[in-house]
Amino acid sequence: MDLSLLTTHISGYITPNATELDFLSSILIQRPFKQGEVLIHAGEPARYMVFVNSGHVMTYFTDDDANEHVMQFAAAGWWAGDIYSISNHATTKYSTRGLGNGEVLLLPRIAHQQLLEKFPAMERYFRMHFQNALIRQQLRFMESYTTSSEERYQKFVDTYPTIERFVAQKHIASYLGITPQFLSRIRKRIAEK
């Protein structure tokens, strides 16, 4: 199992030692996926934290009218999924789907707890990572009120430079909080510049 990307991510927060990485390697589940494959289904118990080892995934919820609302895109080197449900042992309201072929590393909820109890440095890593994720989420929420749709789209392209070839326009529009038709107009204006 290739842990180089995850090790790099962890090293951005702490300096992991060999014992911590060996234990982490022993509890992770390597899971390849195909384009369009649902890795986590809404309504199921939240069993895993998901690290994208290669490819891209999308986390979303489906409303009563069968409309998909995108909460997160995750590229290689990012964590994805439903942190609330993992933390509270609840069923998840979100599904996570592969956007192309790739691989995720699944960290089972129970094993995650063991990791945190056994290795305080790993607890610090996850705390710092989740803290940064919350900050990014709050900034994204604020930007939805303070920036134009075109600025949000440009930031999306800068953040996910290769993802557009894997994602339907309706999902990008959902993530940005606009209609697919308005996204088409934004793309056309940018292309004309």
Side-chain angles (χ1 to χ4, degrees):
M1 175 181 332
D2 181 9
L3 293 184
S4 58
L5 194 56
L6 180 55
T7 301
T8 299
H9 192 274
I10 293 170
S11 296
Y13 295 90
I14 64 168
T15 304
N17 64 41
T19 304
E20 292 162 337
L21 293 175
D22 287 345
F23 183 80
L24 181 61
S25 177
S26 74
I27 60 176
L28 289 169
I29 301 167
Q30 190 174 12
R31 166 79 160 74
F33 61 86
K34 302 284 185 195
Q35 180 175 356
E37 183 178 353
V38 177
L39 303 167
I40 297 182
H41 295 268
E44 293 181 349
R47 294 183 183 99
Y48 307 103
M49 295 180 62
V50 179
F51 183 81
V52 182
N53 211 28
S54 65
H56 298 86
V57 301
M58 173 179 82
T59 300
Y60 60 97
F61 75 93
T62 306
D63 65 22
D64 293 338
D65 296 324
N67 297 309
E68 295 176 348
H69 302 274
V70 178
M71 302 305 296
Q72 177 192 24
F73 292 108
W78 294 26
W79 286 96
D82 183 357
I83 302 306
Y84 170 79
S85 296
I86 280 285
S87 299
N88 291 297
H89 313 280
T91 58
T92 183
K93 297 180 185 326
Y94 305 109
S95 296
T96 299
R97 178 169 64 220
L99 297 175
N101 296 342
E103 177 186 84
V104 293
L105 301 175
L106 302 175
L107 177 56
R109 181 182 51 78
I110 293 169
H112 177 244
Q113 289 303 315
Q114 293 169 344
L115 178 71
L116 300 183
E117 290 168 8
K118 190 172 174 105
F119 300 107
M122 295 305 282
E123 184 173 40
R124 188 169 48 256
Y125 159 68
F126 279 102
R127 178 186 51 79
M128 293 169 70
H129 170 68
F130 292 144
Q131 181 177 321
N132 286 342
L134 176 61
I135 290 167
R136 283 191 304 274
Q137 189 70 21
Q138 288 175 333
L139 290 173
R140 181 174 166 227
F141 186 72
M142 183 182 67
E143 288 170 355
S144 72
Y145 290 108
T146 61
T147 60
S148 70
S149 299
E150 188 168 324
E151 290 169 320
R152 289 195 313 275
Y153 173 69
Q154 190 58 57
K155 184 170 182 174
F156 172 83
V157 170
D158 293 343
T159 302
Y160 305 99
T162 62
I163 203 169
E164 284 193 88
R165 63 180 176 222
F166 301 107
V167 181
Q169 180 167 307
K170 69 179 182 175
H171 292 125
I172 295 171
S174 169
Y175 179 80
L176 296 172
I178 58 178
T179 65
Q181 296 79 10
F182 192 63
L183 178 56
S184 289
R185 288 195 292 272
I186 290 170
R187 285 177 163 169
K188 184 178 179 186
R189 276 198 309 264
I190 290 172
E192 291 173 351
K193 287 183 181 181

